[in-house]
Amino acid sequence: MTVEELVAAVVALAIVSAKRLGAGLADRAMEGVEQSVADRLGRLYRWIAGRLPGEEGAAVVEEAGRSPAAQALLRRRLVLALGEDPSGVEELRVLLSPHAPVLAHGDFLLLEPSGIPRQLPLAVADFTGRDQELARLVEAAERPGVGRVCLVHGPGGIGKTAIVVQAAHRLMSSFPDGQLFVDLNGAEERPAAVGEVLGDFLVALGVARGRIPDDEAGRTRQFRTELADRRVLIVLDNAAGEQQVGALIPGGSSCAVLITSRQGLATLAVDERVALSGLDEGTAWDLLRRIGGGDRVDEDPESGRDVVRLCGGLPLALRIAGARLATFPARTVGSFARDLADDHRRLDVLSLGERSVRAVFRAGYQALTPLQQRAFRLVSALDTPDLPAWALSPLLDVDADAADACLEGLLLAHLVQARRGEAGGQRIVLHDLARGFSKERAAEQPGDESDSAVRRLLGALLSAADAADAQLRPAGARHSGRDGAVRRPPPDDAVAGDVGEAVEWFEAERVVLVAAVAHAHARGWWDLCWEITDAMSIALEHQWRWDISSQVHELALDAADRLGDGRARAALLRNLGEALRDSGSDVVRAAECFSEAIALFHGSGDAHGESDALGNLGILQRQQGELREAARTLTAAETLFRALPLERGLAWALREKAVISRHHADYTQALAQLDEAQALFAANEETRGIGWILRTRADTEKESTVGGCPLPRRWYAGPWPGHHATSRPAQDPRWAAARTHYEHAAQLLHAVRDHRGLTWATLGLADMALHEGDHTAAELISRALQETDAYGDHRGRSRALTVQALLHAEANRLSDAITLAEQALVGPRDHAGAAQAGFRLARLYGAAGRNHDVLHTLQQSRTHHHAAGMPFPDLADTELSRTLTRPAPRARRFRRHQ
């Protein structure tokens, strides 16, 4: 029958019975009395009235019994109503069927239960991913035994209902006695009443409403009785808590229950607990293409990937994004991605019709306590991807126990997430979309709520950074002027007690501290800005984070200048000089920073700062190969360190002087300086310093064995001051000692996460392997290059390239070898490094028969050797070049050192 024919039939019945229809007959039907024609007509009456607005519907039906015009009007109104709601057509067919009795319930007409309910919603046709989670649910629901209760929990919009319905459809054949489904409205202000849900379930199982107990406990008993011998699958969607679902779980072992909830329902006894997280990038991409149109997304894959990234793996966000693309085909994916990239508009863009990411977050937020709501607003106040869990205490200005309880509430509501940090302890993580909602809620509050909270947090971070910095700072004491900012004691477990803990703490909190500096500068909190920067400076050096160090120190210098604090400026210039020097990005400005810092420290009578700045300038001069100037500067620093006294600062100065002695081939003096430095570091229990001393000792022992010659004997058999061509390094006890010291240094430096020191120890071992013909040289160089590239160590990279060049040449790749060796000479000025790299390049040119290049490069190498005061063969360039102009040695069967 067409819609018009159905409407004509129902209107005809309405005309016949209009005088006799009334709410009373319909009410009798709902009470479960015997079916009759009058009951059917009563339900027909209610159905018609329900399809028309308000009291007007009943009036039109009654008038249809008396007026042909009213009959025509009723037909038109019903056809129009059914056109807007096609589901009503099927309801009407049921009403008119002589073989399908119906029950009226509320505003809906349901088939009279047959005792085998089929209530599952339609499974999502474009369901994507979640294969492992689906397999776990299906396996657990089919597992023999008592219970078989499965919980899927996670934040709103994560796809809990979709995966459970998908699993339920796969399980239908295993539960032939029916499937029950209910939305418990757990995220709403008024969750579903358990008693009403039980009543509906009992009706669906074939129980007449007249036989259903009035009280909840009675309904629970009857529900479990009805299911005792049936195999029924029960889906409880969107549960509010343990108490709500407890009465809806059958007592026997024949049924299975699938539950979804934003809460973890920690005290509920479940057989399988599945926590849903965001979709991975590949699955999210597939979902966006399936909904938004594969061809369309593929036309602009870069913008498509931006959409995926900005949706953060949240299925609801991806579905809305895909639906928007499908709904508005004239709009480009690129323009949609640009709108989505706007932090202030993102949640507006992720809304379509009744579907909204914001609404999902709002429902969870409104369910929180006032303290939890405030915590949720404040965790986004600092622009950082995560926070240590202890940060809630200063943010909220409550004790640690109250903060922990508050965090548990946020985690149970899935509005924030937690992960375990690498150094232990929980970290609070906000999904990017949740962060946007948090900022919206924060913007609705008075401005001082956020500012007061963040100032407390920054004060606590500064206190913790002070404690960690005291373990790392080489000069042994923090800058005396770093005491203007208001501090707040952090929890005991957030304070580093030794060097290892200090390294781990700074590694874990680096991003947070950088965000704190930027936030303090933006707010004009000058003391906090520069003091946090100064406290983290040594840690940034250890971590090779020179670009970050330069960035925060520029902000901190501006803060110090606004305060007019000369001592602060001096400390920051010293730190910035280290970052510029070690990164090689601007060694000229690095020297200027050190020089100004020395003058400022001297003018203020700060001998600690002056000696430290002098030592750092000496390191810069030594790294540039200006060894004579470096020796003078380091001697001045040494004098101050001894007068203070400042043992750790003295130890670092002695190490630098030992490097200079080694370059000058004064190995005895170098070892004596290292002995004194190592004793000082050991007395101060400074593991990192001992590691650097051992590495430098190994360099000295290795070079003393070969007289400083930069080439293995198989590459160069000519004269070199202090080295006999016939000697075999591996037979010298100094060579074995060097290996032992490199390996010990690597262990210590790895333990304190000193990437630079560890990499240079690796370079030393690689150089030894090259001399020995050990095949591990290639492995060690590959590892060192990865590290130097990752952290921007230009000097280390140059040294690694020269070793790799020789290995390539031995493998008959001479052209590649020369290219690498040439690259090694490009970078920051370093007479010592260029001296050795130039000599190796000259040898490669000689192997290629490029005699002119040999001579030119030898002259440059000689110049660098003399500028650095390093020994060089006392031969004419032409005579020396003849010793280098030979074929490259062929790759041998490298042996592994035992």
Side-chain angles (χ1 to χ4, degrees):
M1 299 176 69
T2 65
V3 173
E4 289 77 8
E5 291 172 336
L6 286 170
V7 169
V10 77
V11 170
L13 285 172
I15 294 169
V16 171
S17 57
K19 298 294 184 180
R20 298 186 292 129
L21 297 181
L25 290 176
D27 290 341
R28 286 178 55 226
M30 290 187 66
E31 292 169 2
V33 298
E34 185 176 354
Q35 297 296 312
S36 65
V37 173
D39 294 331
R40 179 177 292 278
L41 293 176
R43 284 189 295 280
L44 178 63
Y45 173 88
R46 288 175 61 90
W47 183 90
I48 295 173
R51 288 290 157 183
L52 302 177
E55 297 180 357
E56 179 185 354
V60 170
V61 174
E62 300 236 357
E63 184 63 25
R66 296 188 291 269
S67 165
Q71 296 166 16
L73 175 62
L74 179 58
R75 284 194 295 272
R76 288 197 300 273
R77 295 289 298 277
L78 285 175
V79 169
L80 180 62
L82 291 175
E84 295 176 352
D85 183 10
S87 63
V89 176
E90 188 58 34
E91 293 177 3
L92 190 52
R93 293 184 193 277
V94 171
L95 276 169
L96 296 176
S97 171
H99 305 295
V102 294
L103 289 175
H105 176 50
D107 293 331
F108 302 93
L109 288 162
L110 306 174
L111 286 173
E112 184 178 277
S114 63
I116 303 180
R118 307 291 186 190
Q119 296 185 347
L120 293 181
L122 187 66
V124 177
D126 50 24
F127 186 85
T128 306
R130 308 288 198 199
D131 293 338
Q132 293 183 355
E133 293 89 342
L134 264 175
R136 286 173 58 189
L137 290 173
V138 172
E139 190 276 330
E142 292 180 332
R143 187 186 305 149
V146 179
R148 291 191 286 179
V149 177
C150 305
L151 171 68
V152 177
H153 64 100
I158 204 68
K160 301 182 294 295
T161 301
I163 190 175
V164 162
V165 170
Q166 198 78 12
H169 277 272
R170 296 190 184 186
L171 289 164
M172 286 180 66
S173 60
S174 299
F175 297 94
D177 295 328
Q179 301 85 40
L180 295 169
F181 180 94
V182 64
D183 182 353
L184 295 173
N185 296 325
E188 304 299 326
E189 186 176 351
R190 295 182 180 179
V194 174
E196 293 182 8
V197 174
L198 285 167
D200 291 342
F201 276 178
L202 287 169
V203 169
L205 291 168
V207 179
R209 287 195 176 269
R211 295 194 302 107
I212 297 176
D214 293 332
D215 63 302
E216 182 180 312
R219 292 184 176 191
T220 299
R221 288 191 295 271
Q222 186 168 3
F223 176 62
R224 290 173 176 165
T225 299
E226 292 291 334
L227 293 179
D229 298 317
R230 301 193 201 190
R231 295 167 63 191
V232 174
L233 178 65
I234 303 162
V235 180
L236 306 177
D237 189 34
N238 198 12
E242 292 92 333
Q243 186 174 1
Q244 187 188 38
V245 300
L248 302 174
I249 297 176
S253 61
S254 59
C255 298
V257 183
L258 304 180
I259 306 169
T260 73
S261 179
R262 295 189 184 186
Q263 307 289 335
L265 307 186
T267 62
L268 184 69
V270 299
D271 298 278
E272 190 71 28
R273 191 181 296 271
V274 177
L276 287 189
S277 57
L279 299 177
D280 61 67
E281 185 176 352
T283 305
W285 172 262
D286 291 342
L287 182 58
L288 181 67
R289 291 182 73 256
R290 294 183 70 174
I291 299 173
D295 293 342
R296 184 135 172 260
V297 175
D298 290 344
E299 288 177 357
D300 188 357
E302 184 175 349
S303 295
R305 284 190 289 271
D306 287 341
V307 172
V308 167
R309 175 179 55 82
L310 292 165
C311 288
L314 191 70
L316 175 60
L318 288 161
R319 288 188 173 279
I320 293 174
R324 274 192 168 274
L325 292 175
T327 303
F328 305 106
R331 190 178 187 189
T332 66
V333 179
S335 67
F336 178 73
R338 286 191 293 274
D339 287 346
L340 201 58
D342 186 338
D343 291 340
H344 301 291
R345 295 189 55 210
R346 188 169 304 148
L347 292 179
D348 293 326
V349 174
L350 291 175
S351 176
L352 185 63
E354 296 182 355
R355 309 185 77 184
S356 166
V357 172
R358 181 185 283 111
V360 170
F361 288 134
R362 182 183 293 113
Y365 175 77
Q366 290 173 342
L368 299 175
T369 66
L371 183 64
Q372 291 167 353
Q373 289 183 346
R374 185 156 65 94
F376 178 71
R377 295 193 298 267
L378 292 175
V379 291
S380 65
L382 197 62
D383 191 14
T384 177
D386 65 8
L387 285 172
W390 62 260
L392 271 188
S393 178
L395 279 173
L396 295 172
D397 200 17
V398 299
D399 61 35
D401 290 341
D404 289 345
C406 184
L407 176 58
E408 287 182 1
L410 293 175
L411 291 172
L412 289 172
H414 287 288
L415 278 172
V416 304
Q417 302 162 24
R419 66 172 179 85
R420 180 158 294 280
E422 293 182 6
Q426 282 195 109
R427 301 194 70 80
I428 304 171
V429 182
L430 266 181
H431 188 284
D432 285 346
L433 297 176
R435 180 180 302 279
F437 183 74
S438 171
K439 289 181 178 294
E440 285 185 356
R441 302 286 73 76
E444 298 171 352
Q445 304 300 313
D448 59 350
E449 177 187 79
S450 175
D451 281 351
S452 299
V454 176
R455 286 196 76 135
R456 291 191 298 268
L457 174 59
L458 266 54
L461 282 168
L462 177 54
S463 293
D466 284 341
D469 178 54
Q471 301 293 334
L472 299 181
R473 188 168 288 275
R478 69 177 176 84
H479 176 58
S480 58
R482 204 171 76 207
D483 51 16
V486 176
R487 286 158 170 78
R488 179 186 179 97
D492 292 340
D493 59 359
V495 177
D498 57 32
V499 174
E501 290 181 359
V503 171
E504 290 182 348
W505 189 87
F506 275 119
E507 186 79 24
E509 304 304 341
R510 179 182 64 251
V511 176
V512 176
L513 290 168
V514 171
V517 170
H519 193 99
H521 187 271
R523 292 294 191 278
W525 304 339
W526 310 124
D527 283 321
L528 282 166
C529 178
W530 89 261
E531 291 190 31
I532 293 174
T533 300
D534 187 49
M536 67 190 295
S537 61
I538 295 299
L540 291 173
E541 178 199 343
H542 287 196
Q543 298 163 2
W544 286 18
R545 308 291 180 176
W546 297 312
D547 289 346
I548 295 175
S549 184
S550 298
Q551 170 193 338
V552 294
H553 274 90
E554 294 291 1
L555 294 177
L557 274 171
D558 180 62
D561 290 344
R562 289 173 183 266
L563 288 169
D565 189 335
R567 291 185 303 172
R569 179 173 177 80
L572 295 169
L573 285 169
R574 173 199 58 199
N575 301 341
L576 179 58
E578 291 181 55
L580 296 172
R581 176 196 68 202
D582 293 339
S583 66
S585 59
D586 192 343
V587 293
V588 173
R589 190 180 176 205
E592 293 172 350
C593 288
F594 291 137
S595 297
E596 184 181 349
I598 291 167
L600 289 170
F601 279 130
H602 183 77
S604 65
D606 187 343
H608 287 78
E610 182 182 0
S611 59
D612 193 12
L614 276 168
N616 276 290
L617 177 59
I619 295 172
L620 172 62
Q621 292 167 336
R622 192 268 301 167
Q623 287 181 353
Q624 292 181 297
E626 299 170 354
L627 301 188
R628 296 180 182 87
E629 293 86 347
R632 286 193 293 269
T633 304
L634 289 167
T635 298
E638 178 186 354
T639 301
L640 283 176
F641 283 131
R642 291 188 186 278
L644 286 169
L646 203 55
E647 292 184 341
R648 290 196 288 185
L650 174 60
W652 284 105
L654 289 170
R655 190 207 84 90
E656 290 298 320
K657 295 187 74 173
V659 174
I660 296 173
S661 297
R662 187 193 84 220
H663 283 318
H664 289 159
D666 191 346
Y667 304 117
T668 300
Q669 180 173 334
L671 291 172
Q673 291 163 330
L674 292 171
D675 286 340
E676 183 180 0
Q678 185 168 346
L680 291 170
F681 279 135
N684 287 275
E685 298 181 347
E686 185 163 337
T687 302
R688 177 176 180 254
I690 295 173
W692 275 77
I693 293 299
L694 290 173
R695 181 187 75 76
T696 309
R697 184 181 296 278
D699 288 341
T700 305
E701 292 161 339
K702 174 183 64 114
E703 290 189 20
S704 68
T705 306
V706 297
C709 182
L711 285 170
R713 188 172 63 87
R714 64 184 179 277
W715 273 91
Y716 176 69
W720 196 269
H723 174 51
H724 300 291
T726 57
S727 66
R728 294 182 178 274
Q731 297 174 351
D732 192 312
R734 292 174 295 178
W735 192 261
R739 180 180 303 283
T740 299
H741 289 140
Y742 275 135
E743 291 173 346
H744 189 192
Q747 292 173 357
L748 295 179
L749 295 168
H750 175 74
V752 297
R753 298 187 185 181
D754 186 331
H755 305 296
R756 183 171 50 155
L758 176 59
T759 298
W760 280 80
T762 302
L763 285 170
L765 286 168
D767 203 44
M768 292 186 72
L770 173 69
H771 277 268
E772 294 172 335
D774 186 336
H775 79 276
T776 58
E779 301 169 17
L780 292 166
I781 283 300
S782 176
R783 188 193 316 162
L785 281 171
Q786 288 177 359
E787 289 291 299
T788 56
D789 287 347
Y791 295 101
D793 182 3
H794 302 296
R795 293 177 61 249
R797 185 174 189 274
S798 295
R799 178 157 173 191
L801 288 175
T802 65
V803 177
Q804 190 178 52
L806 295 179
L807 293 174
H808 278 6
E810 290 187 343
N812 202 28
R813 298 169 57 187
L814 187 56
S815 177
D816 292 341
I818 290 174
T819 299
L820 291 175
E822 290 172 340
Q823 291 176 3
L825 280 169
V826 178
R829 185 179 67 175
D830 177 3
H831 289 305
Q836 295 182 331
F839 197 81
R840 289 179 174 180
L841 177 58
R843 177 65 182 89
L844 291 171
Y845 283 146
R850 295 167 57 174
N851 297 337
H852 176 75
D853 289 328
V854 174
L855 187 59
H856 175 70
T857 308
L858 260 181
Q859 291 170 345
Q860 290 182 326
S861 178
R862 184 190 295 273
T863 299
H864 286 301
H865 274 86
H866 289 168
M870 298 167 62
F872 192 77
D874 188 18
L875 292 175
D877 288 341
T878 53
E879 184 178 352
L880 188 57
S881 66
R882 282 196 293 271
T883 66
L884 300 177
T885 309
R886 297 179 181 180
R890 297 294 182 183
R892 301 185 301 164
R893 184 177 180 181
F894 276 12
R895 65 179 180 81
R896 180 183 290 275
H897 175 80
Q898 298 295 325

